[in-house]
Amino acid sequence: MEQLTKVGTTQRTKQLTVAKRSIWHEIVKQKYAHLFVLTGMLIVFVFHYLPMFGILMAFKNYSITTGISGIFTSEWVGLKYFDEFVHAYNFKLIVTNTLAISLLKLVFTFPMPILLAIMFNEVRHQFFKRFAQTVSYFPHFISWIVVSGLLVVFLSTNSGIVNDLLKGLGIVKDSLPFLSSPDYFWGLAVTTAMWKEAGWWAIIFLAAISGLDPTLYDAAEMDGAGRLRRIWHITLPGIRGTIIVVLILAVGSMLGGGLVGSNFEQSYLLGNSINNERSEILQTYAFKMGLAQGRYAYATAIDLIQSVIAIILVFGSNYLSKKVTKNSLF
């Protein structure tokens, strides 16, 4: 019996040794692929995880003159900067602008890629379909700096094409102050973000639609289902999982702009002293406090508040999705 046990142990040891050798053989065989993944992981660690020790600045009386070591050696002040921001004179204005722009983008920009993907899927003319797709996602590759420059030219009150067109058609008598009036900023931010990113995100939903079984559409058509019914009963339920995952990610990054992720760029580039009451948000305020005034600890506290809210939104939306739809990100 003892001899049989030794034989079994020996065989298992040999099997484990062979398995380890095969694993190492595969790693060596795919060394370039593993090196590629390792490089990406290293970049994420260096630029995303390693700087996280700077969060300590939010709880310390940090000064830039103390350098990196000052993050650990500065005086601990606890929640001083959080309390200062909450009691700041413009706290309500900044939070209101951030939430308003973020919610408007979530409501209007999230459904648009889904609608675009469904429209592209229903187009039967392949040349027109490819052309429309290319035109729709091309703006994604244009930087917000270029876009803001174009908006300044097109929406100018003096010689802007848009105002000239509106006056030429008799829609308005005087030029509309799109860039100088706070009343237009939220609408401008939402529409330009939608134009720039809707086509790009439609690619994800279009890929999900292409994975659906085409026989389902054929069967529904034979049963007399029209195009709208096929979309409602086959397409939308078929991509529900993708919609839920993207929605959770959009809600989690809502304060940064959601899918379009452009709150800071738009508010910083298109905001000015005239429309400041609608364009000032958490990100731009933290940027100004940190770099313009050198209050790095205060700016870190503001950004940390936003990060904590984003984490709560991710876990909250994921929990609700799991309870209601049985689909979730994790």
Side-chain angles (χ1 to χ4, degrees):
M1 189 69 180
E2 184 178 352
Q3 187 175 1
L4 290 174
T5 304
K6 289 181 179 180
V7 171
T9 304
T10 304
Q11 290 178 346
R12 284 194 295 272
T13 303
K14 289 181 179 179
Q15 290 175 354
L16 289 173
T17 303
V18 172
K20 289 180 179 179
R21 287 178 179 174
S22 62
I23 291 174
W24 281 109
H25 177 72
E26 289 297 324
I27 291 176
V28 173
K29 185 179 178 181
Q30 302 175 4
K31 56 182 179 293
Y32 295 111
H34 287 287
L35 183 62
F36 183 78
V37 173
L38 183 62
T39 303
M41 293 175 62
L42 185 62
I43 291 173
V44 171
F45 175 76
V46 171
F47 292 100
H48 290 80
Y49 286 94
L50 197 59
M52 288 183 69
F53 68 84
I55 292 175
L56 289 172
M57 286 191 294
F59 306 95
K60 294 197 170 190
N61 189 22
Y62 174 75
S63 174
I64 189 64
T65 57
T66 59
I68 296 178
S69 61
I71 297 176
F72 305 98
T73 59
S74 299
E75 177 190 2
W76 184 271
V77 295
L79 301 178
K80 172 186 174 182
Y81 297 114
F82 297 93
D83 182 71
E84 180 182 347
F85 175 61
V86 171
H87 291 91
Y89 74 95
N90 54 353
F91 171 77
K92 183 178 179 180
L93 175 67
I94 294 171
V95 173
T96 300
N97 290 338
T98 304
L99 292 177
I101 295 175
S102 301
L103 287 173
L104 286 172
K105 285 185 177 181
L106 183 65
V107 171
F108 289 101
T109 63
F110 178 74
M112 186 55 65
I114 302 173
L115 294 175
L116 268 179
I118 293 174
M119 290 171 61
F120 290 149
N121 185 63
E122 294 299 320
V123 174
R124 294 294 175 260
H125 195 285
Q126 291 301 316
F127 175 79
F128 178 76
K129 180 178 181 179
R130 295 192 187 97
F131 175 77
Q133 282 183 259
T134 303
V135 171
S136 66
Y137 66 68
F138 178 76
H140 169 78
F141 300 99
I142 305 175
S143 71
W144 275 110
I145 297 177
V146 176
V147 172
S148 62
L150 292 174
L151 289 175
V152 170
V153 174
F154 291 158
L155 302 179
S156 172
T157 54
N158 297 324
S159 58
I161 299 175
V162 175
N163 274 310
D164 289 344
L165 181 62
L166 292 176
K167 288 188 291 185
L169 294 174
I171 299 176
V172 296
K173 293 182 179 179
D174 300 320
S175 297
L176 298 177
F178 290 108
L179 300 176
S180 57
S181 173
D183 297 331
Y184 296 99
F185 185 81
W186 289 356
L188 182 64
V190 174
T191 52
T192 53
M194 190 188 305
W195 164 79
K196 190 174 183 298
E197 299 293 343
W200 176 257
W201 281 96
I203 296 175
I204 294 178
F205 297 107
L206 192 61
I209 293 174
S210 65
L212 299 179
D213 188 356
T215 58
L216 295 174
Y217 293 94
D218 297 335
E221 189 174 0
M222 291 180 63
D223 290 339
R227 180 169 294 184
L228 291 178
R229 284 192 174 273
R230 293 198 298 270
I231 293 173
W232 183 257
H233 293 287
I234 299 176
T235 305
L236 289 176
I239 64 173
R240 183 177 61 180
T242 304
I243 293 175
I244 293 299
V245 171
V246 175
L247 178 61
I248 293 172
L249 295 175
V251 171
S253 59
M254 185 177 68
L255 297 183
L259 294 182
V260 294
S262 56
N263 281 4
F264 173 76
E265 290 87 348
Q266 288 178 311
S267 297
Y268 184 73
L269 295 170
L270 299 176
N272 50 60
S273 58
I274 304 176
N275 63 18
N276 189 62
E277 63 179 87
R278 291 292 181 90
S279 62
E280 187 77 285
I281 59 175
L282 283 170
Q283 294 96 323
T284 55
Y285 183 67
F287 181 80
K288 293 174 183 176
M289 290 295 105
L291 292 184
Q293 299 189 18
R295 302 190 63 191
Y296 296 98
Y298 184 53
T300 303
I302 298 172
D303 277 334
L304 184 56
I305 292 175
Q306 179 179 318
S307 299
V308 171
I309 294 174
I311 292 174
I312 294 173
L313 288 173
V314 169
F315 280 92
S317 59
N318 186 78
Y319 176 78
L320 289 176
S321 175
K322 187 182 295 186
K323 288 292 183 181
V324 176
T325 67
K326 307 302 179 182
N327 290 313
S328 61
L329 186 60
F330 49 87

